Amino acid sequence: MSKFIEHDVQRPLSLYRTSSAAASFASTSPTSNGKKKGVDIYEADEQGVSPTDSRYSRLNCPLLLFAITAAISSINYGWVIGSINIPALVIEECADGPVAWTNGFPSCIPMSSTLWGLVVGLTPLGAWAGSMFSGIAADKFGRKHMLMYNNAFFVSGAIIASTSTSVAQLSVGRFVSGIGCGVAANVVSTYCSEVSTIRSRGFLGGFQQLMILVGVFLSQVVSIGLSKAPLWRVLFSISAAIAIVQTLLLFFIPESPKYLASTKQIDKAEAVLVRLRKDMDIAFELDDLLTVLEYSRQTDYVPQPTMWQVLAGKTEIDLRHLVFSVLFLMLSQQWAGGKGVMFYSTEILSDSFHLSDEEIKHIPTIAQLLTLGIGAVGLFSVILGMCILDKVGRRTVLMVSSLATAISSALIVIGSKVDIGPVVAAA
């Protein structure tokens, strides 16, 4: 018998002591109909759900605060990808004036549009690299500690980028920050899903995307005042400040109960669940968690199909439809051009409205204000999606958003082709 099951056999009395109602239940005697008194913790509502069953508890303040603390990494992610947009022309084209050196730092780093595209593109490349090892590292060090360690990438990348004197140094800084973005994208979503309940999963499921867009929007608001030379360096360095603040706050949040249970730290997992599910009975939730982990441990010994077997349909159940559906959805999100708008909207809109060099110097320009508006619309859209997702369904929201994206993309092409700036801005 496994250690999980052995612990489970001895577990109930300690669990029932986690709340006064549960203790009452454990100490009562059977009634004439074979049921126990004090069954208020197991009595079900009209949907068959016990009002004190932690599996169905709603979002509470401690859970929300812990999720927000973890999601500061997502805010930093948004800051990194959004902070490069508005000051782009000041950095690459020296729109604020010719290169001037102050205390050993140039006011701008002139480069071609192609080279600028490479510098910007190194951030998603770094994110890809970070996502490749983040899952394994999070399983080894834990979600909470991985978020702490990951802040080293954000701090290092911010310092390198904000002190850049060459294209190469700026490129390295953006790549290192991108690694932090990739790790954050994986670990934050994992942490939020593992501390959430069934009823809070819909909200916390979109929490990461919400915080990313909060970071994008905040970076664009601050960029309006920091887009002049050499203040764009301060804009890049703020990412390091965000990472340091989060590292300090992470000391006050618990580790994921699933990670603790998976590493045989059952007592700590139980204590964390009690902390997360205030005044609720966690007996069934811990039971479910241990059962899933035990099943996962047992299936580790079963040979798993290779990627090529899955793609070729040579599995017991043909998974190709599910795999290709997920792959297409993830790829279409990138093909839709959302990231391109976050990175290049200021330049695109400046060209669409034919802004002169003199107009670009007068900050904020119409292109910068419209970029700020794009960030606000994106933030509003995510909040709206989170509110209606559980009511209208994932598929409906996905179809409507995909149709809206297709229409917007078509309008951008038409507006650019016929040279109508307002159409591009509206799309």
Side-chain angles (χ1 to χ4, degrees), residues 137-172:
D139 287 340
K140 181 177 181 180
F141 300 110
R143 287 58 164 139
K144 172 183 170 179
H145 288 94
M146 193 59 214
L147 288 175
M148 288 182 172
Y149 303 151
N150 182 52
N151 281 331
F153 290 112
F154 282 124
V155 173
S156 301
I159 292 175
I160 295 171
S162 61
T163 59
S164 296
T165 58
S166 65
V167 175
Q169 185 178 348
L170 181 59
S171 300
V172 172

mmCIF file of all heavy atoms in Angstrom, residues 137-172:
data_model
loop_
_atom_site.group_PDB
_atom_site.id
_atom_site.type_symbol
_atom_site.label_atom_id
_atom_site.label_comp_id
_atom_site.label_asym_id
_atom_site.label_seq_id
_atom_site.Cartn_x
_atom_site.Cartn_y
_atom_site.Cartn_z
ATOM 1 N N ALA A 137 11.319 22.744 -13.809
ATOM 2 C CA ALA A 137 11.888 23.471 -12.673
ATOM 3 C C ALA A 137 10.848 23.699 -11.584
ATOM 4 O O ALA A 137 11.146 23.597 -10.388
ATOM 5 C CB ALA A 137 12.447 24.810 -13.153
ATOM 6 N N ALA A 138 9.608 23.997 -11.985
ATOM 7 C CA ALA A 138 8.537 24.223 -11.003
ATOM 8 C C ALA A 138 8.208 22.948 -10.241
ATOM 9 O O ALA A 138 7.867 22.988 -9.051
ATOM 10 C CB ALA A 138 7.292 24.762 -11.695
ATOM 11 N N ASP A 139 8.305 21.799 -10.910
ATOM 12 C CA ASP A 139 8.075 20.522 -10.231
ATOM 13 C C ASP A 139 9.197 20.197 -9.256
ATOM 14 O O ASP A 139 8.978 19.510 -8.245
ATOM 15 C CB ASP A 139 7.951 19.391 -11.257
ATOM 16 C CG ASP A 139 6.631 19.443 -12.019
ATOM 17 O OD1 ASP A 139 5.686 20.078 -11.509
ATOM 18 O OD2 ASP A 139 6.547 18.856 -13.115
ATOM 19 N N LYS A 140 10.380 20.690 -9.535
ATOM 20 C CA LYS A 140 11.524 20.410 -8.669
ATOM 21 C C LYS A 140 11.597 21.368 -7.485
ATOM 22 O O LYS A 140 11.808 20.944 -6.339
ATOM 23 C CB LYS A 140 12.826 20.489 -9.481
ATOM 24 C CG LYS A 140 14.063 20.192 -8.649
ATOM 25 C CD LYS A 140 15.332 20.209 -9.512
ATOM 26 C CE LYS A 140 16.560 19.889 -8.657
ATOM 27 N NZ LYS A 140 17.809 19.887 -9.472
ATOM 28 N N PHE A 141 11.420 22.671 -7.743
ATOM 29 C CA PHE A 141 11.607 23.670 -6.697
ATOM 30 C C PHE A 141 10.297 24.147 -6.064
ATOM 31 O O PHE A 141 10.320 24.790 -5.018
ATOM 32 C CB PHE A 141 12.355 24.887 -7.267
ATOM 33 C CG PHE A 141 13.711 24.572 -7.809
ATOM 34 C CD1 PHE A 141 13.960 24.626 -9.168
ATOM 35 C CD2 PHE A 141 14.743 24.202 -6.960
ATOM 36 C CE1 PHE A 141 15.218 24.336 -9.680
ATOM 37 C CE2 PHE A 141 16.002 23.908 -7.459
ATOM 38 C CZ PHE A 141 16.239 23.963 -8.818
ATOM 39 N N GLY A 142 9.186 23.857 -6.712
ATOM 40 C CA GLY A 142 7.912 24.352 -6.216
ATOM 41 C C GLY A 142 7.490 25.600 -6.961
ATOM 42 O O GLY A 142 8.325 26.343 -7.498
ATOM 43 N N ARG A 143 6.180 25.849 -7.002
ATOM 44 C CA ARG A 143 5.668 26.998 -7.762
ATOM 45 C C ARG A 143 6.113 28.317 -7.139
ATOM 46 O O ARG A 143 6.575 29.237 -7.824
ATOM 47 C CB ARG A 143 4.141 26.960 -7.804
ATOM 48 C CG ARG A 143 3.528 25.900 -8.710
ATOM 49 C CD ARG A 143 3.943 24.505 -8.380
ATOM 50 N NE ARG A 143 3.083 23.492 -8.980
ATOM 51 C CZ ARG A 143 3.535 22.378 -9.509
ATOM 52 N NH1 ARG A 143 4.835 22.133 -9.560
ATOM 53 N NH2 ARG A 143 2.695 21.483 -9.982
ATOM 54 N N LYS A 144 5.960 28.425 -5.820
ATOM 55 C CA LYS A 144 6.306 29.661 -5.124
ATOM 56 C C LYS A 144 7.789 29.998 -5.272
ATOM 57 O O LYS A 144 8.143 31.131 -5.625
ATOM 58 C CB LYS A 144 5.933 29.513 -3.643
ATOM 59 C CG LYS A 144 6.412 30.634 -2.742
ATOM 60 C CD LYS A 144 6.045 30.349 -1.299
ATOM 61 C CE LYS A 144 6.719 31.318 -0.347
ATOM 62 N NZ LYS A 144 6.348 31.064 1.058
ATOM 63 N N HIS A 145 8.651 29.034 -5.021
ATOM 64 C CA HIS A 145 10.088 29.299 -5.106
ATOM 65 C C HIS A 145 10.531 29.539 -6.549
ATOM 66 O O HIS A 145 11.460 30.314 -6.796
ATOM 67 C CB HIS A 145 10.876 28.145 -4.485
ATOM 68 C CG HIS A 145 10.780 28.088 -2.997
ATOM 69 N ND1 HIS A 145 9.842 27.314 -2.339
ATOM 70 C CD2 HIS A 145 11.466 28.727 -2.026
ATOM 71 C CE1 HIS A 145 9.978 27.468 -1.044
ATOM 72 N NE2 HIS A 145 10.951 28.320 -0.818
ATOM 73 N N MET A 146 9.861 28.887 -7.508
ATOM 74 C CA MET A 146 10.220 29.124 -8.904
ATOM 75 C C MET A 146 9.904 30.550 -9.306
ATOM 76 O O MET A 146 10.639 31.171 -10.076
ATOM 77 C CB MET A 146 9.466 28.129 -9.806
ATOM 78 C CG MET A 146 10.003 28.099 -11.229
ATOM 79 S SD MET A 146 11.746 27.639 -11.278
ATOM 80 C CE MET A 146 12.321 28.613 -12.657
ATOM 81 N N LEU A 147 8.785 31.097 -8.790
ATOM 82 C CA LEU A 147 8.465 32.502 -9.071
ATOM 83 C C LEU A 147 9.525 33.425 -8.473
ATOM 84 O O LEU A 147 9.881 34.447 -9.066
ATOM 85 C CB LEU A 147 7.085 32.843 -8.508
ATOM 86 C CG LEU A 147 5.886 32.240 -9.249
ATOM 87 C CD1 LEU A 147 4.587 32.558 -8.510
ATOM 88 C CD2 LEU A 147 5.809 32.759 -10.685
ATOM 89 N N MET A 148 10.032 33.060 -7.289
ATOM 90 C CA MET A 148 11.103 33.855 -6.678
ATOM 91 C C MET A 148 12.368 33.817 -7.534
ATOM 92 O O MET A 148 12.957 34.864 -7.846
ATOM 93 C CB MET A 148 11.425 33.311 -5.279
ATOM 94 C CG MET A 148 10.380 33.593 -4.226
ATOM 95 S SD MET A 148 10.929 32.932 -2.619
ATOM 96 C CE MET A 148 9.654 33.596 -1.544
ATOM 97 N N TYR A 149 12.781 32.604 -7.904
ATOM 98 C CA TYR A 149 13.995 32.470 -8.707
ATOM 99 C C TYR A 149 13.847 33.149 -10.063
ATOM 100 O O TYR A 149 14.800 33.729 -10.585
ATOM 101 C CB TYR A 149 14.335 30.990 -8.909
ATOM 102 C CG TYR A 149 14.510 30.205 -7.627
ATOM 103 C CD1 TYR A 149 14.223 28.836 -7.561
ATOM 104 C CD2 TYR A 149 14.963 30.822 -6.461
ATOM 105 C CE1 TYR A 149 14.380 28.113 -6.387
ATOM 106 C CE2 TYR A 149 15.130 30.100 -5.284
ATOM 107 C CZ TYR A 149 14.826 28.753 -5.251
ATOM 108 O OH TYR A 149 14.982 28.048 -4.081
ATOM 109 N N ASN A 150 12.655 33.084 -10.620
ATOM 110 C CA ASN A 150 12.425 33.654 -11.939
ATOM 111 C C ASN A 150 12.602 35.165 -11.956
ATOM 112 O O ASN A 150 12.939 35.751 -12.987
ATOM 113 C CB ASN A 150 11.008 33.303 -12.418
ATOM 114 C CG ASN A 150 10.722 33.823 -13.807
ATOM 115 O OD1 ASN A 150 11.491 33.578 -14.739
ATOM 116 N ND2 ASN A 150 9.633 34.550 -13.965
ATOM 117 N N ASN A 151 12.373 35.806 -10.803
ATOM 118 C CA ASN A 151 12.530 37.264 -10.756
ATOM 119 C C ASN A 151 13.964 37.699 -11.025
ATOM 120 O O ASN A 151 14.210 38.861 -11.355
ATOM 121 C CB ASN A 151 12.041 37.798 -9.410
ATOM 122 C CG ASN A 151 10.530 37.904 -9.348
ATOM 123 O OD1 ASN A 151 9.878 38.113 -10.363
ATOM 124 N ND2 ASN A 151 9.967 37.749 -8.164
ATOM 125 N N ALA A 152 14.908 36.767 -10.895
ATOM 126 C CA ALA A 152 16.295 37.079 -11.247
ATOM 127 C C ALA A 152 16.411 37.406 -12.736
ATOM 128 O O ALA A 152 17.210 38.271 -13.135
ATOM 129 C CB ALA A 152 17.209 35.903 -10.895
ATOM 130 N N PHE A 153 15.608 36.728 -13.575
ATOM 131 C CA PHE A 153 15.616 37.031 -15.013
ATOM 132 C C PHE A 153 15.049 38.420 -15.268
ATOM 133 O O PHE A 153 15.580 39.182 -16.085
ATOM 134 C CB PHE A 153 14.813 35.982 -15.780
ATOM 135 C CG PHE A 153 15.450 34.629 -15.831
ATOM 136 C CD1 PHE A 153 14.888 33.546 -15.173
ATOM 137 C CD2 PHE A 153 16.625 34.423 -16.548
ATOM 138 C CE1 PHE A 153 15.474 32.291 -15.213
ATOM 139 C CE2 PHE A 153 17.222 33.166 -16.605
ATOM 140 C CZ PHE A 153 16.648 32.101 -15.929
ATOM 141 N N PHE A 154 13.963 38.754 -14.588
ATOM 142 C CA PHE A 154 13.368 40.080 -14.779
ATOM 143 C C PHE A 154 14.332 41.180 -14.330
ATOM 144 O O PHE A 154 14.493 42.199 -15.017
ATOM 145 C CB PHE A 154 12.060 40.193 -13.996
ATOM 146 C CG PHE A 154 10.889 39.520 -14.655
ATOM 147 C CD1 PHE A 154 10.151 38.557 -13.985
ATOM 148 C CD2 PHE A 154 10.507 39.860 -15.949
ATOM 149 C CE1 PHE A 154 9.062 37.941 -14.586
ATOM 150 C CE2 PHE A 154 9.419 39.253 -16.563
ATOM 151 C CZ PHE A 154 8.700 38.291 -15.876
ATOM 152 N N VAL A 155 14.975 40.995 -13.172
ATOM 153 C CA VAL A 155 15.902 42.006 -12.664
ATOM 154 C C VAL A 155 17.108 42.141 -13.584
ATOM 155 O O VAL A 155 17.504 43.254 -13.966
ATOM 156 C CB VAL A 155 16.354 41.657 -11.227
ATOM 157 C CG1 VAL A 155 17.455 42.606 -10.766
ATOM 158 C CG2 VAL A 155 15.172 41.729 -10.266
ATOM 159 N N SER A 156 17.694 41.002 -13.965
ATOM 160 C CA SER A 156 18.877 41.030 -14.841
ATOM 161 C C SER A 156 18.547 41.654 -16.191
ATOM 162 O O SER A 156 19.301 42.503 -16.699
ATOM 163 C CB SER A 156 19.411 39.611 -15.040
ATOM 164 O OG SER A 156 19.762 39.020 -13.812
ATOM 165 N N GLY A 157 17.427 41.225 -16.786
ATOM 166 C CA GLY A 157 17.049 41.772 -18.090
ATOM 167 C C GLY A 157 16.800 43.258 -18.035
ATOM 168 O O GLY A 157 17.200 44.013 -18.952
ATOM 169 N N ALA A 158 16.150 43.727 -16.962
ATOM 170 C CA ALA A 158 15.867 45.154 -16.828
ATOM 171 C C ALA A 158 17.151 45.966 -16.683
ATOM 172 O O ALA A 158 17.295 47.044 -17.283
ATOM 173 C CB ALA A 158 14.958 45.389 -15.626
ATOM 174 N N ILE A 159 18.089 45.460 -15.900
ATOM 175 C CA ILE A 159 19.356 46.176 -15.704
ATOM 176 C C ILE A 159 20.144 46.241 -17.007
ATOM 177 O O ILE A 159 20.680 47.294 -17.377
ATOM 178 C CB ILE A 159 20.185 45.491 -14.601
ATOM 179 C CG1 ILE A 159 19.499 45.669 -13.242
ATOM 180 C CG2 ILE A 159 21.602 46.066 -14.555
ATOM 181 C CD1 ILE A 159 20.182 44.920 -12.120
ATOM 182 N N ILE A 160 20.205 45.122 -17.708
ATOM 183 C CA ILE A 160 20.957 45.090 -18.975
ATOM 184 C C ILE A 160 20.334 46.035 -19.999
ATOM 185 O O ILE A 160 21.038 46.803 -20.672
ATOM 186 C CB ILE A 160 21.014 43.654 -19.530
ATOM 187 C CG1 ILE A 160 21.801 42.753 -18.587
ATOM 188 C CG2 ILE A 160 21.646 43.637 -20.924
ATOM 189 C CD1 ILE A 160 21.732 41.272 -18.941
ATOM 190 N N ALA A 161 18.992 45.990 -20.128
ATOM 191 C CA ALA A 161 18.320 46.826 -21.130
ATOM 192 C C ALA A 161 18.389 48.301 -20.770
ATOM 193 O O ALA A 161 18.605 49.155 -21.644
ATOM 194 C CB ALA A 161 16.862 46.382 -21.274
ATOM 195 N N SER A 162 18.194 48.624 -19.504
ATOM 196 C CA SER A 162 18.158 50.040 -19.108
ATOM 197 C C SER A 162 19.534 50.696 -19.147
ATOM 198 O O SER A 162 19.632 51.928 -19.174
ATOM 199 C CB SER A 162 17.562 50.181 -17.706
ATOM 200 O OG SER A 162 18.341 49.493 -16.745
ATOM 201 N N THR A 163 20.593 49.897 -19.148
ATOM 202 C CA THR A 163 21.952 50.459 -19.227
ATOM 203 C C THR A 163 22.581 50.226 -20.601
ATOM 204 O O THR A 163 23.799 50.356 -20.759
ATOM 205 C CB THR A 163 22.858 49.832 -18.148
ATOM 206 O OG1 THR A 163 22.907 48.406 -18.328
ATOM 207 C CG2 THR A 163 22.328 50.153 -16.753
ATOM 208 N N SER A 164 21.759 49.924 -21.593
ATOM 209 C CA SER A 164 22.263 49.588 -22.928
ATOM 210 C C SER A 164 22.999 50.752 -23.568
ATOM 211 O O SER A 164 22.549 51.904 -23.523
ATOM 212 C CB SER A 164 21.107 49.158 -23.835
ATOM 213 O OG SER A 164 20.501 47.986 -23.357
ATOM 214 N N THR A 165 24.114 50.409 -24.190
ATOM 215 C CA THR A 165 24.852 51.388 -24.989
ATOM 216 C C THR A 165 24.998 50.929 -26.434
ATOM 217 O O THR A 165 25.563 51.649 -27.257
ATOM 218 C CB THR A 165 26.259 51.607 -24.390
ATOM 219 O OG1 THR A 165 26.947 50.354 -24.354
ATOM 220 C CG2 THR A 165 26.173 52.184 -22.975
ATOM 221 N N SER A 166 24.494 49.725 -26.729
ATOM 222 C CA SER A 166 24.610 49.175 -28.076
ATOM 223 C C SER A 166 23.397 48.313 -28.379
ATOM 224 O O SER A 166 22.639 47.928 -27.479
ATOM 225 C CB SER A 166 25.887 48.336 -28.208
ATOM 226 O OG SER A 166 25.821 47.192 -27.359
ATOM 227 N N VAL A 167 23.238 47.994 -29.644
ATOM 228 C CA VAL A 167 22.140 47.130 -30.070
ATOM 229 C C VAL A 167 22.282 45.750 -29.452
ATOM 230 O O VAL A 167 21.297 45.140 -28.998
ATOM 231 C CB VAL A 167 22.107 47.024 -31.609
ATOM 232 C CG1 VAL A 167 21.051 46.019 -32.052
ATOM 233 C CG2 VAL A 167 21.837 48.379 -32.236
ATOM 234 N N ALA A 168 23.508 45.250 -29.390
ATOM 235 C CA ALA A 168 23.747 43.915 -28.846
ATOM 236 C C ALA A 168 23.329 43.837 -27.384
ATOM 237 O O ALA A 168 22.672 42.873 -26.959
ATOM 238 C CB ALA A 168 25.220 43.546 -28.994
ATOM 239 N N GLN A 169 23.685 44.851 -26.602
ATOM 240 C CA GLN A 169 23.343 44.828 -25.176
ATOM 241 C C GLN A 169 21.829 44.912 -24.976
ATOM 242 O O GLN A 169 21.261 44.204 -24.142
ATOM 243 C CB GLN A 169 24.026 45.982 -24.449
ATOM 244 C CG GLN A 169 23.795 45.934 -22.936
ATOM 245 C CD GLN A 169 24.514 47.044 -22.198
ATOM 246 O OE1 GLN A 169 25.373 47.735 -22.756
ATOM 247 N NE2 GLN A 169 24.175 47.247 -20.926
ATOM 248 N N LEU A 170 21.174 45.763 -25.757
ATOM 249 C CA LEU A 170 19.722 45.872 -25.663
ATOM 250 C C LEU A 170 19.061 44.548 -26.045
ATOM 251 O O LEU A 170 18.076 44.125 -25.418
ATOM 252 C CB LEU A 170 19.223 46.987 -26.581
ATOM 253 C CG LEU A 170 17.713 47.252 -26.577
ATOM 254 C CD1 LEU A 170 17.217 47.626 -25.183
ATOM 255 C CD2 LEU A 170 17.360 48.352 -27.589
ATOM 256 N N SER A 171 19.614 43.865 -27.037
ATOM 257 C CA SER A 171 19.072 42.587 -27.474
ATOM 258 C C SER A 171 19.181 41.540 -26.375
ATOM 259 O O SER A 171 18.229 40.798 -26.110
ATOM 260 C CB SER A 171 19.822 42.091 -28.721
ATOM 261 O OG SER A 171 19.696 43.012 -29.786
ATOM 262 N N VAL A 172 20.322 41.495 -25.715
ATOM 263 C CA VAL A 172 20.522 40.533 -24.628
ATOM 264 C C VAL A 172 19.546 40.816 -23.490
ATOM 265 O O VAL A 172 18.940 39.901 -22.919
ATOM 266 C CB VAL A 172 21.978 40.577 -24.117
ATOM 267 C CG1 VAL A 172 22.128 39.728 -22.857
ATOM 268 C CG2 VAL A 172 22.934 40.101 -25.194
#
